[in-house]
Amino acid sequence: MTISKTQRGRAAAAVSLTAVLALTATACGDDGSSSGGDGSGKGEITFWDNNGGPRTAIWTEIIKDFEKKYPDIKVKYVPIPIADVQSKYDTAIAGGGLPDVGGVGTAYLANMVSQEALEPLNERLEDSPLKGELVDNMVQSVTAAAGRGDDMYSIPTSANNGVLWYRTDLFEAAGLDAPSTWPKFYEAAEKLTDAKNNKFGYTIRGGAGSIAQALDAIYGQSGITSFWDGDKTTLNDPENVEALEKYAALFKKTTPAADVNNDFTKMVAQWDTGTIGMLSHNLGSQQDHQKALGEGKFAGIPAPIGESGTRVQVSNPVDGLGLFRTGKNKNAAWKFIEFAASHESNSKWNESAGAIPANTEAAKDPWINETEATALAAKALTDGSTKIVDLPYYLPDWNNISKADNEPEFQKVLLGKTTAKAFLDKMAGELNEANKEWQALGNG
């Protein structure tokens, strides 16, 4: 069997980190090999927030509520910056010092499951008030992302959704309809561009995180609804190649030249200056737009509808809470997970974060319909009207292939240094090989 570079790197990292962090492991009293214990359901537990900073205030409030309900349990809150969370977990898995409970997104869930870091939650959920109270497709997403059949290693708490933000005032002034279909999107991108006056119809993501946005545009236009056709990916299907050619051709024609290096922070800040017609991001930037642009100047819709008449979009990572295998007080940690995923807490958290709740009752709360973007996103995720192309988060090499290995290649497409077909063929080949290796391990 061929060993992927991610697996080789992880093995080497584990050896070196175990040596380097031996003192840390000893100090924490956990070398990552123990199975922990259920505990008394009382005492202190440690919680790692996987997006520390932006979400610290709301987690602090929820923890306060939890400790009021369970005065015998204290929660030690540790905020981890989202950019560092996967490496932080990998380091702790290799050297010891994992928390009792932590935020775990589907983008890196399989990596943690493969290292036996998380406890399966099926039996606990079966006896929990949460049973039947979680959005089905989010449960399916976290289960599939783990890559262990029906075993569930994370309780979903929220999902984001891609949004095409557009300037309603600029569209109205130009006599344009909302960009609800891909032809209307391209028409608006061209009509709203006045490059000499630094006005553009669209801002395209060319820096970090560019691949996910590009995949959304590719599958949204082609209408292909599955990432796999048997053992081969559909990524380089001729219809997807054609879609990427059209999308990438927007660069420097109806977008700023600086877009080639823009990550989401720069892209959002650029759009919020008010001179660009459309932006593809997600619900998370809504509050930024509100502060910068004010009421009545922008709106957001899910991905435009393709020629098939159906909206197709790629899956967004589902966030959740995991129970760590080495935890010494799993009963107390599970109580925290149940509380955080309950109706009131889950609604409160997602309203603050601008995300879609995983709790079915929270997803019906009035605030969901206060903005068109959130209401449409919730509808897209819950009522079956949108076809979701599930990305293979379960592949150990997925993050490398979809980020470090190919983001520079996508920049070459934008700059005309390689073709859309060559780019998609390269990435498809890597994915097919990664899928073959994964299946050779007895998965799939």
Side-chain angles (χ1 to χ4, degrees):
M1 182 186 73
T2 303
I3 304 295
S4 73
K5 59 185 176 183
T6 298
Q7 292 167 311
R8 290 194 297 268
R10 184 177 299 135
V15 172
S16 62
L17 284 169
T18 300
V20 173
L21 299 175
L23 291 176
T24 301
T26 302
C28 294
D30 170 27
D31 65 359
S33 62
S34 67
S35 59
D38 285 342
S40 65
K42 301 178 182 179
E44 183 177 84
I45 59 172
T46 298
F47 164 54
W48 282 10
D49 175 8
N50 60 340
N51 192 5
R55 308 291 181 241
T56 293
I58 187 60
W59 272 124
T60 300
E61 183 178 341
I62 289 172
I63 290 169
K64 184 178 179 180
D65 293 341
F66 173 77
E67 291 178 340
K68 183 177 180 180
K69 181 175 181 179
Y70 297 100
D72 292 330
I73 304 175
K74 299 299 178 186
V75 180
K76 180 182 178 181
Y77 171 79
V78 181
I80 309 296
I82 191 170
D84 301 334
V85 67
Q86 187 170 352
S87 62
K88 182 76 171 177
Y89 277 136
D90 282 342
T91 299
I93 291 168
L98 283 165
D100 297 283
V101 58
V104 181
T106 49
Y108 48 89
L109 177 61
N111 173 41
M112 297 175 68
V113 171
S114 70
Q115 297 181 79
E116 305 298 337
L118 294 167
E119 183 102 341
L121 300 174
N122 303 63
E123 290 186 9
R124 290 182 184 271
L125 182 59
E126 187 68 22
D127 297 328
S128 170
L130 292 177
K131 181 183 178 181
E133 297 297 317
L134 300 172
V135 174
D136 285 343
N137 68 357
M138 295 193 202
V139 171
Q140 292 166 11
S141 290
V142 297
T143 302
R148 291 283 182 91
D150 293 331
D151 287 345
M152 186 176 178
Y153 290 85
S154 172
I155 296 298
T157 55
S158 67
N160 213 324
N161 200 62
V163 177
L164 178 60
W165 299 105
Y166 67 101
R167 289 288 305 277
T168 52
D169 54 344
L170 299 182
F171 270 70
E172 184 178 349
L176 290 165
D177 293 333
S180 56
T181 65
W182 283 102
K184 290 180 178 179
F185 165 81
Y186 283 108
E187 178 190 5
E190 183 172 353
K191 194 166 183 179
L192 293 174
T193 297
D194 181 3
K196 292 181 180 178
N197 290 306
N198 200 36
K199 296 179 181 179
F200 297 94
Y202 185 59
T203 175
I204 198 169
R205 188 168 181 170
S210 59
I211 301 297
Q213 181 176 304
L215 294 181
D216 230 0
I218 291 169
Y219 281 95
Q221 292 177 83
S222 71
I224 295 171
T225 58
S226 176
F227 196 79
W228 299 104
D229 182 6
D231 293 336
K232 302 295 184 182
T233 179
T234 58
L235 183 62
N236 58 340
D237 183 278
E239 291 188 40
N240 280 341
V241 172
E242 182 181 351
L244 181 57
E245 288 171 343
K246 189 171 185 179
Y247 182 71
L250 294 173
F251 177 64
K252 288 181 69 174
K253 179 183 177 184
T254 64
T255 80
D259 281 359
V260 70
N261 293 312
N262 279 358
D263 58 12
F264 87 89
T265 303
K266 294 176 182 176
M267 185 178 63
V268 168
Q270 182 174 259
W271 193 70
D272 285 346
T273 62
T275 61
I276 300 173
M278 295 178 290
L279 159 76
S280 296
H281 189 230
N282 57 49
L283 290 169
S285 58
Q286 179 166 310
Q287 294 178 359
D288 292 330
H289 308 327
Q290 187 69 42
K291 291 177 184 177
L293 302 172
E295 294 284 352
K297 292 187 177 180
F298 72 98
I301 59 173
I305 295 172
E307 292 182 5
S308 66
T310 300
R311 178 176 284 113
V312 177
Q313 65 182 55
V314 299
S315 57
N316 278 260
V318 175
D319 209 7
L321 294 170
L323 185 68
F324 285 86
R325 185 173 60 87
T326 54
K328 299 298 189 292
N329 198 346
K330 293 174 187 172
N331 283 337
W334 175 250
K335 286 179 183 178
F336 179 73
I337 291 175
E338 284 185 316
F339 185 86
S342 66
H343 178 183
E344 183 178 352
S345 296
N346 193 238
S347 183
K348 183 184 297 186
W349 191 95
N350 280 280
E351 183 176 11
S352 174
I356 307 303
N359 185 288
T360 54
E361 293 304 309
K364 299 174 185 176
D365 283 348
W367 66 265
I368 293 286
N369 294 312
E370 288 179 0
T371 64
E372 179 186 32
T374 306
L376 290 174
K379 186 174 185 291
L381 290 175
T382 60
D383 76 349
S385 63
T386 297
K387 299 297 183 182
I388 306 294
V389 179
D390 287 316
L391 298 180
Y393 300 121
Y394 54 83
L395 292 179
D397 276 343
W398 169 250
N399 276 347
N400 270 357
I401 292 171
S402 64
K403 294 180 181 177
D405 289 355
N406 284 293
E407 284 176 351
E409 297 301 312
F410 180 66
Q411 289 178 317
K412 291 179 183 178
V413 176
L414 296 180
L415 295 170
K417 294 182 179 180
T418 191
T419 66
K421 185 178 187 304
F423 165 72
L424 292 178
D425 283 344
K426 174 184 179 295
M427 190 169 169
E430 294 169 357
L431 285 163
N432 290 336
E433 181 62 25
N435 188 50
K436 182 179 178 181
E437 292 176 1
W438 184 74
Q439 290 182 331
L441 295 173
N443 301 301

